[in-house]
Amino acid sequence: MAKDYYSILGVKKTASEKEIKAAFRRLARKYHPDVNPGDRAAEQRFKEINEAHDVLSDAGKRAKYDRYGEHWEQAEAFEKARAQYGGGGPHSQTFTFDINDLLRQQGRGAGGIDLGDLFGGIFGGGRQRGPQRGQNVEYQAEITLEEAYHGTTRTLQLQAEERCPTCGGGGQIANALCHMCQGVGTIIKPKRLEVKIPAGARDGTRVRVAGEGSPGARGGPRGDLYVVTAVRPHQRFERKGDDLSVDVPVRVEDAVLGGEVEIQTIAGKRIVVTVPPLTQNGRQIKLKGLGMPRLDGKGHGDLNARVRLVIPETVTDRERELFEQLRALRKKEPVGSKRA
C-alpha cells in the first residue's frame, strides 16, 4: 500500500508548514523510542513519522511528493533520464510511456507495476538496489532564554538504532530470519551524545549532527540527527526576532522631571538608563546592541526598555500637600493638554 505522508502525520493536504511541524512534534513525543523502549511497533511508527516530516517540511520535496507520491525520487530520476536519453542523440532510447500513467498503475494494487523493479530495470539495478542512506531523526531540546543568549549544550540519552552486527543489516542469515534483530536489520542500543546549541538559537532552530541518524540499508550511510530548539517563555523579557523588550518601573517624579533607573540585561549586567523629562507611560527607550546575539554571529539585536509608571501606595502629609498644590496649579488644564 502506498504511503500517505499526510495521513501519517494526521494533517490535510492543505496543511501549513506550522501545522505540519506541530503535528510532527506531537507524534514524535508519543512514539519516540525513549518513551517506548523495546516497542518495535512504536519504533516503526516513529520512523514513518520522521520520513513524512522530512518530505512535507521541505517545500521542494513536498511539491514533488504531491505530484508523484511516495516514489517522487524515482519519478524525478526517470524524468531526467527521459530528457537525457530521449532527445534524439547518439545514445537516445525510445520512452513511449508517461510517468503519471505508471504511477496510476502502481496504485491499482497487486495487478499494478512495481516501481522499484521498473526504475531499477531502467537504470540498471533491477531488484539488487545498492546501499541506501538512513533516515534523518529529530529530537526537541527545550532551553531557557539565558541559554539561548549564551549558547549551551545538551547531553542526549538516546536509544540509537545500530546496524545488526549479526546479519550486517540484511535481516537474514542464509535465508533464515536473523535471531538477533528478528529480521528488522537493526538493534537498539543506549547512547550518550553531547550537542552544542549556538548562541542566538530561536524556536525551531535546527542543529545538525551529521551521521547520527538512522543507519542506512544494505551498508548505506547513516542519516543525520537534528536537534530542534524550543525556547521557554521568560518571566521578564519578551523576544521578537533578535530584539528583547523589558518593563522598567519609573517613579512619577522621575518621569516628569527626568531621572535614571537601573535595569539588568539578559546577559546579567546591571546598567543605568536615562529617563528623559516628561516621559509618558509605555514609552520605549531603545538600547542598541543589548538584545539577543544573531545566529550568523554578526552583532546583537536591541533591548527596548518599556516605561511603567509607579504610583506611590502611601504618601506623607507633606507629599499630599505638594500634590494638592500641583493639582491646583493644573486644575484648569484639560488632561493631556500641552503648555506653550
Side-chain angles (χ1 to χ4, degrees), residues 135-201:
Q135 293 181 358
N136 295 334
V137 177
E138 285 195 359
Y139 285 85
Q140 189 176 71
E142 191 174 59
I143 62 175
T144 66
L145 189 62
E146 286 84 359
E147 287 176 321
Y149 180 88
H150 294 287
T152 187
T153 59
R154 280 293 183 271
T155 300
L156 305 181
Q157 302 286 350
L158 309 179
Q159 293 292 324
E161 274 189 300
E162 299 287 346
R163 187 175 292 113
C164 178
T166 303
C167 65
Q172 292 184 336
I173 302 175
N175 294 325
L177 198 68
C178 174
H179 69 280
M180 177 66 73
C181 66
Q182 299 300 311
V184 176
T186 59
I187 59 174
I188 301 298
K189 282 188 174 182
K191 183 176 183 178
R192 286 169 56 91
L193 185 67
E194 190 171 89
V195 179
K196 184 177 180 180
I197 297 174

Side-chain angles (χ1 to χ4, degrees), residues 71 74 106 112-129:
H71 298 286
Q74 298 101 312
Q106 172 68 8
I113 296 173
D114 186 326
L115 288 185
D117 287 347
L118 174 65
F119 291 126
I122 290 175
F123 302 119
R127 282 193 174 273
Q128 302 301 317
R129 291 190 295 171

